[in-house]
Amino acid sequence: RFDNLHAPSGTQYTGPSIKAEKEDTTYLTALTFVTTTVSGVNAERMRITNAGNVGIGTTGPSVYGSGGIGIIVEIRSTGASSAPALTFSIDQTADGNNAGGLIWATSGTAGAEKRLAYIQVASDGSSATTASGHMDFYTTNAGTLGERMRIDKNGNIGIGTTGPGSKLDVTTAGLGTTQTTSSGLALV
């Protein structure tokens, strides 16, 4: 707990705190993170439950989200005009710089590829004054991670190609020769 931070002489403020908080009648505890608002009111900002779930903007991160899918981190906004956002940011603007991604992985075997799937965002011809980017989707097949789909800076979607030339560009060698939708051929 941090008390009397920048308090005027003779004024007692309860400041921000990180504390263990009892969650029920047993000895189960949560770790809570509290900050003080401009008006001096303490407000819980984040909680780690005894089950290891993390809630930002909620004091009760649920164990299961919609469809019964297990949740570890829940970010919630209570404002009608604001939506929660998770931001990945880099200062580098050179072409191809990775700005971040989401990885699904397994503990796997030492030395083996542990990523099952990966979504990456990278700069694409960006400069200090303008930003462009592309989003890449990877999956792992038999221990090899490979890019399977890309959305480029123009909104073109490429499947089987890293340089889509039209709104949907599917490249396959399934018919004996490489064919793409951008060439006007129908893929079966």
Side-chain angles (χ1 to χ4, degrees), residues 41-65:
V41 176
N42 285 343
E44 183 175 317
R45 304 300 184 181
M46 185 172 80
R47 172 182 293 253
I48 303 173
T49 68
N50 68 70
N53 296 318
V54 177
I56 300 172
T58 177
T59 58
S62 55
V63 176
Y64 293 98

Side-chain angles (χ1 to χ4, degrees), residues 16-91:
S17 65
I18 301 170
K19 64 181 181 176
E21 183 177 294
K22 195 172 181 182
E23 288 190 314
D24 61 14
T25 57
T26 65
Y27 295 103
L28 299 176
T29 58
L31 188 61
T32 61
F33 297 79
V34 175
T35 62
T36 306
T37 65
V38 173
S39 59
V41 176
N42 285 343
E44 183 175 317
R45 304 300 184 181
M46 185 172 80
R47 172 182 293 253
I48 303 173
T49 68
N50 68 70
N53 296 318
V54 177
I56 300 172
T58 177
T59 58
S62 55
V63 176
Y64 293 98
S66 59
I69 298 169
I71 293 177
I72 300 297
V73 176
E74 179 180 358
I75 302 173
R76 183 179 298 173
S77 174
T78 57
S81 63
S82 63
L86 180 62
T87 302
F88 300 94
S89 179
I90 59 170
D91 289 335

Side-chain angles (χ1 to χ4, degrees), residues 134-156:
H134 57 84
M135 181 178 282
D136 311 324
F137 297 80
Y138 294 79
T139 61
T140 301
N141 183 7
T144 302
L145 183 73
E147 184 177 330
R148 310 298 179 203
M149 184 174 81
R150 176 177 292 208
I151 302 173
D152 74 7
K153 63 184 175 186
N154 298 310
N156 295 335

